[in-house]
Amino acid sequence: MGWLWAIIVGLVLGLIAKAILPGKQRIPLWLTVIFGMIGSVLGNAVATWLGVNDTKGIDWTRHVLQLIGAIVVVGVGDMLWASLRGNKQRT
């Protein structure tokens, strides 16, 4: 169940990150999920480092940090994907 939850969270965070970032991202959906998962892990690591990873009630700070991580990873990943693909535009 842990992997399924990670994929769902990665998909949701990746799609939200793509919606927040300006412009059109050229990464495919499968890569969006992976980048969302990586951003979630990074956000959890920062939350642990700050000591806010486990609080009473809803962990809003941790969730915001996960989203920020996903935004950063999706943004950087999109730039890397575009450079590897030769900046080809979809028509």
Side-chain angles (χ1 to χ4, degrees):
M1 189 66 167
W3 283 103
L4 178 62
W5 187 245
I7 291 170
I8 292 169
V9 168
L11 174 65
V12 171
L13 286 177
L15 291 176
I16 292 172
K18 281 180 80 167
I20 290 174
L21 287 169
K24 181 173 173 62
Q25 289 74 42
R26 295 168 296 272
I27 57 176
L29 182 61
W30 65 269
L31 203 51
T32 302
V33 173
I34 292 172
F35 288 162
M37 290 167 62
I38 293 169
S40 175
V41 169
L42 289 176
N44 277 338
V46 171
T48 301
W49 180 68
L50 293 174
V52 295
N53 61 330
D54 191 23
T55 60
K56 289 185 178 181
I58 299 174
D59 296 331
W60 290 110
T61 306
R62 180 173 55 100
H63 297 316
V64 169
L65 290 170
Q66 288 175 330
L67 180 59
I68 291 169
I71 291 169
V72 169
V73 173
V74 168
V76 171
D78 182 57
M79 288 188 288
L80 289 172
W81 180 260
S83 69
L84 291 173
R85 302 289 287 179
N87 288 325
K88 294 178 184 175
Q89 295 285 334
R90 287 189 194 172
T91 57

